[in-house]
Amino acid sequence: MTHRDVPRITAVLGPTNTGKTHLAIERMLGHHSGMIGFPLRLLARENYDRVVARTGRSQVALITGEEKIIPARARYFLCTVESMPTDRSVEFLAIDEIQMAGDRERGHIFTQRLLSARGTAETMFLGSGTMRALVEKLVPGVAFTGRPRLSSLAWAGARKITRLPRRSAVVAFSANDVYTLGELVRRQRGGAAVVLGALSPRTRNAQVDLYQAGEVDFLIATDAIGMGLNMDIDHVAFAGDTKFDGRRPRRLDHQELAQIAGRAGRHMNDGTFGVTAGCAEFDAETITAIEQHRFESLRRAYWRNADLSFNTVRDLKRSLERAPSWPFLAPKRDAEDQAALDALSRDTGLMQRADTPGRVRLLWDVCQVPDFRKTLTEPHTRLLTLLFGHLAGGAERLPQDWVARQVERLDRTNGDIDTLAGRISHVRTWTYITQRQDWIDDPVHWRERARAIEDRLSDALHARLISRFVDRRAAVLSRRLRDGDELMAAVKPDGTVTVEGHRVGRLAGLRFTPDAPDSRTPRPIVAATRRVLPRELVRQGAEDRAAPGTTLRVRAPGAGAGGDPARPAPRACAAGRRDPRGPGQDLRVRSARGGAVERRADRDTGPWPAPARARDRGGRSQSAAIGRAGCGCTAAARLARFVSRPADPRTRPVADLRRNRPGARHLLPVDRDPRPAAAPAGRTAAGRSGRGRSAHAGPRRGPVRDRERVHAGPAEAEGRAVSGVAVAGPPRRMARGCAGPAGAGRGRGEPGRVGRSL
């Protein structure tokens, strides 16, 4: 054999988003035949579809534990690493994600492929640069090729869930955390796609498509997205950095964090990563390692002897426990199939039937039936016992009626997310079993039957995930708000409110109540309604929407807003809850028909008093003049000259104020006009059933705190008339720190409700 005829072995190493898989497919298609082993069934299926699109279905085979599509003239094989038919000769052979050799659960499979799987013309190993030292030891004569990342990855720090940029993925490490985060994002941002390791490939693809299509802008996932999901993600946020590895909780190392963070910024688009949901910020060493793709080399790979003896069950166990010959290989002695063999070997009756090499090999094949529920509990052990019992019997086949009962009982789409996910995992086990043509009669029928059930369950699970974690109305409105599009709203005659064709609630008078599926209205619905509903009400006319008997409040606009304290611009308000997320919303709209609200206010409260320029400087006019200084209140010091001369008839109202507010630093003028105020039906100016005090009922006990603004009237209460205006709502004080005019420099409060006469 000449040097030119020696098969070429290349290791293409680099971080995520370097185009390694694309390179391998191109190299494979340049040969007459080829095979690539992927770490996930999802990846194998995705790349199978890509190759089929280029070469035609008749030339491409797909081989996984649960799915086999092998045309008679197949030249290219896309497989999971475990399912690679290594006895088949192909010109090109590649193994993807070879750093999985350091994985405790599946590492021994990848190590075995590194040691023995070869193409007749070219072999290519794809993975992280951390594998270079081990590959040099395991594969003599290998040539290394580096691949730079196509885009940059930068640290973005910590952000709240509600502040994450759109097109973000939030990564958690337990199903409960994923559910909690998904529900939070649904309320705050309209919804999110959810990706868990327990999802079937069909459900996972449907959730990914939901995100990729832009129906939602967020993805909540476990570390399952770290491999095999190439999506348009701009930012990856870690909600934690600790996971349970099957034995104990442990912190992810730099390489594992980078594998997940590398999902951001695919192709030529730069990406960012950070933390959220209370996760501690990464230290400088971790950030630098991820950004610059510098990690410690893997020091060992897992290994298990592949040269097994099937003479007896004892010989099989001994061959599985053989120690590796190299110190950098760690023995793998707790694999699922080996644990299943230990469990079955404790059954004396079953061991008596494994009395020939053929039966021992059959027993080992049964032990390799996967438990996709990842429990390896008594139910799975019992299933394996029944399988071996039937296959070791006289017919050496699984009974048709028994298979039918086992499969049909899984064909139910009721239940919650976890129930459906468990059912899918169980039916996937049966999909694997139906791939064994030597175990079952009419395998094609049962394979199609199991796949149909899995598809139905997967669709039902996808629907449950959407129902729980996506509010389509909120998602659509959030997207339109983000894009700055004009939103179309309508109020039907029965009060139904729609925005962009989606029903969002009902309007009764001026009170809007959202159609929330729970007690908290999603923020996008609130935001969209606030933007469009006042405009729609203005178009229809606020006065027309105010139901008979509706109480209209009048608020001082404040000098800072350009209003005249002596003539505030009224707005129609519906008294209700002030919580913007609650089911009741106060909707403020200016009248669309000039003066409608003003006329309503004049009818209820009487005409506005003469302003401060009137000749009569006492009584109501003086009160109005005082009120002009601060839209309803003024500093006591400014009135010192009036208070110091109580005999002056012009200052009697002010002197009365001083008596009513002992120690007050800010005073509110009180209208002394005895004209009764307009009040809601059944109420008087003195309050309900004679309770409460009028605007002149006497002093309120206790001093008013410095720099506090107080409502107009000494003791405003629900239904109580103040300065000639019926005021609805409980007594309230202004926010502290409001020393200027109403509406200027206020804190969390709002302008006090003041009377027309100030």
Side-chain angles (χ1 to χ4, degrees):
M1 178 181 293
T2 65
H3 176 73
R4 188 168 182 169
D5 295 330
V6 174
R8 181 171 59 180
I9 304 177
T10 306
V12 182
L13 307 181
T16 57
N17 192 30
T18 56
K20 297 185 293 293
T21 304
H22 175 76
L23 173 65
I25 290 177
E26 293 298 321
R27 295 294 304 168
M28 180 182 72
L29 295 180
H31 292 276
H32 182 266
S33 62
M35 181 186 303
I36 303 178
F38 296 96
L40 300 173
R41 169 189 174 188
L42 182 70
L43 267 177
R45 181 75 202 204
E46 176 184 325
N47 287 287
Y48 165 80
D49 293 337
R50 290 172 57 188
V51 176
V52 164
R54 294 185 57 178
T55 65
R57 193 172 300 275
S58 63
Q59 300 188 59
V60 189
L62 173 67
I63 304 178
T64 70
E66 305 154 64
E67 191 172 13
K68 288 183 173 61
I69 303 174
I70 309 177
R73 298 167 50 196
R75 296 192 293 139
Y76 304 113
F77 295 79
L78 289 306
C79 321
T80 53
V81 172
E82 288 87 345
S83 302
M84 293 177 68
T86 53
D87 56 343
R88 181 182 291 268
S89 177
V90 291
E91 291 185 3
F92 175 88
L93 186 142
I95 307 294
D96 194 17
E97 304 290 0
I98 58 171
Q99 73 273 6
M100 288 288 292
D103 180 70
R104 184 178 183 86
E105 297 300 319
R106 304 168 61 203
H108 60 287
I109 303 294
F110 286 82
T111 302
Q112 183 60 37
R113 298 293 182 258
L114 280 169
L115 290 170
S116 61
R118 298 289 185 270
T120 59
E122 183 178 0
T123 302
M124 183 176 288
F125 299 124
L126 317 174
S128 168
T130 58
M131 276 295 293
R132 183 182 181 107
L134 284 177
V135 172
E136 284 181 326
K137 296 175 182 178
L138 294 171
V139 186
V142 64
F144 291 96
T145 299
R147 300 279 292 188
R149 183 178 166 89
L150 299 178
S151 61
S152 65
L153 193 60
W155 168 253
R159 299 185 184 181
K160 294 181 179 179
I161 287 284
T162 55
R163 299 294 183 184
L164 289 176
R166 298 181 185 277
R167 312 311 292 171
S168 289
V170 182
V171 181
F173 296 96
S174 73
N176 288 336
D177 288 345
V178 169
Y179 296 160
T180 300
L181 293 168
E183 290 170 345
L184 175 61
V185 173
R186 179 185 187 276
R187 290 194 302 268
Q188 299 292 336
R189 312 297 287 271
V194 173
V195 173
L196 301 166
L199 301 184
S200 67
R202 184 182 180 93
T203 305
R204 190 182 310 176
N205 288 342
Q207 288 290 303
V208 169
D209 290 343
L210 185 73
Y211 174 85
Q212 288 292 89
E215 295 187 51
V216 294
D217 286 316
F218 299 91
L219 177 73
I220 314 296
T222 62
D223 54 343
I225 70 165
M227 207 174 290
L229 291 178
N230 297 321
M231 296 175 291
D232 299 326
I233 297 174
D234 296 332
H235 179 76
V236 170
F238 290 86
D241 59 359
T242 302
K243 66 177 291 185
F244 183 76
D245 63 2
R247 304 177 66 187
R248 58 182 175 81
R250 66 171 180 84
R251 191 176 184 278
L252 276 70
D253 59 35
H254 294 171
Q255 169 67 33
E256 291 171 316
L257 292 172
Q259 184 75 27
I260 299 170
R263 297 300 102 186
R266 305 301 294 173
H267 306 298
M268 302 300 294
N269 299 320
D270 295 338
T272 58
F273 67 100
V275 295
T276 189
C279 178
E281 294 197 36
F282 297 165
D283 56 43
E285 180 184 357
T286 302
I287 295 171
T288 301
I290 296 174
E291 288 182 337
Q292 300 181 6
H293 318 296
R294 295 178 181 175
F295 313 108
E296 291 185 5
S297 297
L298 285 175
R299 298 179 180 178
R300 65 176 186 175
Y302 285 92
W303 176 88
R304 187 174 72 180
N305 179 37
D307 184 15
L308 303 180
S309 172
F310 296 103
N311 292 327
T312 65
V313 174
R314 180 175 297 181
D315 289 341
L316 175 59
K317 286 185 174 183
R318 286 176 178 173
S319 61
L320 286 169
E321 295 173 356
R322 184 177 303 167
S325 56
W326 289 320
F328 53 84
L329 295 180
K332 175 62 176 175
R333 296 194 174 101
D334 59 352
E336 289 183 5
D337 50 7
Q338 195 168 348
L341 178 63
D342 291 338
L344 294 183
S345 63
R346 289 192 286 269
D347 187 331
T348 305
L350 187 145
M351 287 299 97
Q352 291 177 352
R353 306 179 72 174
D355 53 356
T356 65
R359 292 287 178 84
V360 173
R361 182 180 292 274
L362 174 62
L363 177 63
W364 179 240
D365 289 342
V366 169
C367 290
Q368 291 183 299
V369 172
D371 178 19
F372 288 105
R373 291 170 290 181
K374 301 299 180 184
T375 58
L376 200 62
T377 55
E378 184 178 350
H380 187 69
T381 303
R382 186 164 55 250
L383 173 63
L384 299 183
T385 301
L386 292 172
L387 286 174
F388 181 76
H390 288 304
L391 294 172
E396 297 184 349
R397 285 286 193 278
L398 299 177
Q400 291 272 32
D401 56 344
W402 180 74
V403 172
R405 288 195 303 271
Q406 298 295 317
V407 172
E408 295 300 330
R409 67 188 181 89
L410 300 173
D411 192 9
R412 293 179 291 126
T413 58
N414 62 312
D416 59 12
I417 291 174
D418 292 334
T419 300
L420 289 172
R423 243 177 244 146
I424 290 173
S425 297
H426 201 172
V427 79
R428 287 179 66 190
T429 297
W430 275 99
T431 303
Y432 178 93
I433 293 171
T434 58
Q435 298 294 331
R436 297 297 302 258
Q437 300 187 19
D438 54 337
W439 286 8
I440 192 169
D441 292 327
D442 197 2
V444 174
H445 164 75
W446 289 112
R447 191 180 308 143
E448 293 176 352
R449 181 75 179 118
R451 177 54 52 81
I453 294 175
E454 180 182 338
D455 289 348
R456 274 195 296 275
L457 291 172
S458 297
D459 293 341
L461 178 56
H462 176 58
R464 297 289 196 286
L465 290 171
I466 289 179
S467 175
R468 182 169 176 179
F469 300 117
V470 178
D471 187 318
R472 290 191 181 275
R473 300 172 307 158
V476 170
L477 296 177
S478 178
R479 201 159 52 246
R480 298 297 300 273
L481 287 170
R482 173 198 66 193
D483 298 337
D485 295 341
E486 187 74 14
L487 298 177
M488 301 298 295
V491 181
K492 298 181 179 180
D494 63 355
T496 300
V497 179
T498 60
V499 180
E500 289 296 316
H502 297 273
R503 172 174 170 146
V504 296
R506 292 182 59 82
L507 190 69
L510 297 179
R511 169 71 65 82
F512 172 72
T513 303
D515 287 336
D518 48 33
S519 60
R520 302 188 66 183
T521 309
R523 288 180 62 183
I525 291 180
V526 174
T529 305
R530 281 179 171 174
R531 175 185 289 189
V532 301
L533 190 51
R535 184 178 68 233
E536 179 66 14
L537 289 176
V538 166
R539 187 183 65 80
Q540 296 186 12
E543 182 73 5
D544 295 340
R545 297 298 309 179
T550 299
T551 298
L552 294 180
R553 295 203 299 262
V554 181
R555 299 178 184 272
D564 182 356
R567 186 67 177 176
R571 290 179 293 179
C573 297
R577 294 179 54 179
R578 300 294 304 160
D579 182 2
R581 299 177 190 173
Q585 309 291 328
D586 281 355
L587 300 178
R588 302 179 186 80
V589 292
R590 295 189 180 277
S591 173
R593 298 158 55 181
V597 177
E598 288 87 341
R599 289 195 298 273
R600 174 72 175 269
D602 286 342
R603 184 173 68 249
D604 290 345
T605 66
W608 189 267
R613 65 175 177 270
R615 289 174 180 249
D616 180 11
R617 308 298 292 182
R620 296 168 59 186
S621 297
Q622 180 65 62
S623 299
I626 294 171
R628 289 172 68 90
C631 291
C633 74
T634 190
R638 300 181 61 180
L639 307 181
R641 65 188 182 91
F642 295 104
V643 178
S644 64
R645 293 181 294 166
D648 188 335
R650 294 178 303 170
T651 64
R652 285 175 184 169
V654 183
D656 289 343
L657 280 176
R658 186 60 175 261
R659 282 197 306 274
N660 291 347
R661 298 278 199 278
R665 294 173 184 261
H666 288 80
L667 304 177
L668 291 95
V670 178
D671 181 10
R672 297 180 56 82
D673 190 338
R675 184 184 64 176
R683 297 181 181 175
T684 68
R688 290 183 184 175
S689 304
R691 293 180 295 171
R693 293 172 295 193
S694 70
H696 316 286
R700 177 186 294 175
R701 295 183 180 180
V704 180
R705 296 179 183 175
D706 187 17
R707 300 183 69 193
E708 265 191 0
R709 311 196 74 177
V710 187
H711 284 294
E716 179 186 6
E718 183 177 358
R720 198 166 299 163
V722 178
S723 301
V725 176
V727 181
R732 297 184 0 179
R733 292 188 306 184
M734 294 305 301
R736 285 194 244 176
C738 302
R746 55 189 147 164
R748 290 175 296 176
E750 59 182 356
R753 292 181 282 195
V754 301
R756 286 286 299 270
S757 64
L758 290 180

